[in-house]
Amino acid sequence: MPMAAVDPVAPEAASVALPGIARALVSARKLSQKSAEDLWRKAQANRSSFTAELTGSGAVSPFDLAHTMSAAFGAPMLDLDAIDIKRLPRNLLDSKTCQAFRVVVLSKRNNRLIVATADPSDQQAAEKIKFATQMGVDWVIAEYDKLTKMVEANATTASETMESIVGDDFDFDESSMESSAADDEEKAGAAEVEDAPVVKFLHKMLLDAFTMRASDLHFEPYEHNYRVRFRVDGELREISSPPVAIKDKLASRIKVISRMDISEKRVPQDGRMKLKVGPDRVIDFRVSTLPTLFGEKIVIRILDPSSARLGIEALGYEPQEKERLLEAVQRPYGMVLVTGPTGSGKTVSLYTCLNLLNKPGVNISTAEDPSEINMPGVNQVNVNEKAGLTFAAALKSFLRQDPDVIMVGEIRDLETADIAIKAAQTGHLVLSTLHTNDAPTTLTRMRNMGIAPFNIASSVILITAQRLARRLCASCKAPADIPHETLLDAGYKEEEVDGTWTPYRPVGCSACNNGYKGRVGIYQVMPISEEIQRIILRDGSSLEIAQQAESEGVRSLRQSGLHKVKLGVTSLEEVLGCTNA
C-alpha cells in the first residue's frame, strides 16, 4: 500500500530563528521554547526589542535576565545604581546609538570600550559601536530597567547641556558680518534652512568638536549614507552618521552663516564664520565646500586665536632650537622660512613669532590665503587671485607702506620669491613658508624655482622644518619594551642606548584618545652659517648642506623626534610615522 503524502509544515508551526538572548534563556530553563517564540513574534510585530518585550511582559525579571546573561556569556554583572552618571565619559558614542541599542559606555581601556548592556548577544550593536568608534567592545551586563533609565537620563543631560549652551552663550556671531542689498536673496534662502533639527545638529557638532579639541570637521555625503568626522590630534575619527536626507539643508545652513552663495553648488567656495562660546570668547571657523558626486563635502577648520598666544615654550622647541629661532626673528632684516606639509603647524609657528614682534613701534603686514588667525596690531591682507590681489601684488604694496616686518603666507612662484628676497635684502624682516620635506632641501627648492644662489645666500638667515607628533597622555602612558636593535635601526647611536632612559608607549584612558592627548612639534632649526652660504654659492646639493648642518649641531627631524622619545613626550612609532630616517 503506497504511503500517504506528508503535508508540509504550516508556516505558523515552523520553528522561529530565535536571537541569542532567547536561546540562552531557553537553555538556562528560564523560559520555555514556546514562550520565547511567542515573545519574539510579538517583538517583531511591535517593532521593539526582544529584551523590552521580555521584561515588559514579566516573563523574566530584569535581575534574573542579567544574572542569566552574565553566566551564559561569561561577562561581569554590574549594578548601575552604583554609577554616578556625571562621571561617565562623554563624546565616545553618540546618544542616538546608545538609545537605539540600550547601551551605556562606562569607560575606555586601551583601544577598547567598556559598555553596559542587557543583551551581550546583539552582534549588530557590537558592530555598530565598533564602526562608530573604531574601538573594540567589552560587554558588562546590567539590569534592563536600570539600563533604560540611565540611557534616557544620559540623553536628557546631554540635550539639556546643549540647549542651555545654544540658547544663551553659544550662538553664531553675525553682528560682525557686513550686510548689503545683495544679501536679500541669501536672507530669503536662509528662511528655508532655519530647520530646528538641522540647526541643533550643527551646533552640537561644533560644540563637540570644540570640547574634543578637534582641528577640523568633515561633513561627507555619499550615495546611501552621510558621515561626520573630526580630526583629533591629527587623526580622523567618525563621530556621527546622520540621515543622508539632511545633507542639502545642512550645507545650505553652513553656507548662509559663512556668507557663501547658497544657490551655487557646482564650484568650490570658501567662507568664514564666528561662534560665541560664552560671553567673552569667540571662535573663528574657516569653511570650504567641494562639489562631489553625491553632494557638497564641507570641511570646517577651527581657528583658535589663543593658540598663537600660547608662547614659544608651548610649541615644543628644545632650548637650543628656541634660542636659534628667537635670535633670527630679533634681527632687523633677513628671511626666516618655516617649512613642512599642510597641517604641520606652520601658521601657528609664524604667528607665535609675530606675537613676539608685535609692539607699538613695529609695523607688521601679512599676506595670506586666507588669514587664519586674527591678531590686533597686525595689518592682515587676504589674497584674492580673481581680483588681482596676488601674493606678489600684496608684497609690492607692503613695500610702499613703510613696513618693518612682512609675513607672506606661502612662496608659490618666482615673482613672489623675488620680491620677498628684495625686501629681506633692503632692511626688512620677512617671514614665510614653503612646502618642502626638511630644511636643507628648502634651499635647493628655491634654487629650482629660479632664484640665484647669491640672492638665497644673502637673504635667508634661518630655516625651520617641522612636523606635529601626537603627545603621549601623561595619565596612562606606560614603559615600552623595545628591543635594542630596533632602537638602533630607528636612528639612535650605540652610546645613546645605554639603559639610562625609558621609552614609553600609549595605553589609553577616559582622558585621552587611544593613549595620546594633544600634539607636540618636532623641529629642525637650521641657521644659515657662513659655511652653508659658501655651499649655496657654489650651487652645492642638499646632501652637502645637511652634512654641514649636522656638523654644526643641527638635529635632523628624525633626531629631534628621537630626542622627544627619550624625554617621554611621544612614542617611537609616532616619530617613525611622521619623519624620514
Side-chain angles (χ1 to χ4, degrees), residues 233-251:
D233 294 338
E235 283 196 334
L236 277 173
R237 293 176 52 191
E238 183 164 343
I239 300 299
S240 178
S241 298
V244 71
I246 201 177
K247 64 180 183 181
D248 290 331
K249 287 185 176 180
L250 185 61

Side-chain angles (χ1 to χ4, degrees), residues 91-122:
N91 303 319
L92 291 176
L93 188 63
D94 61 281
S95 60
K96 184 179 177 182
T97 302
C98 293
Q99 289 178 294
F101 295 103
R102 285 293 187 266
V103 294
V104 171
V105 178
L106 300 175
S107 65
K108 186 178 77 166
R109 184 184 302 142
N110 297 334
N111 199 31
R112 302 188 70 81
L113 294 179
I114 313 301
V115 184
T117 183
D119 182 7
S121 69
D122 192 344

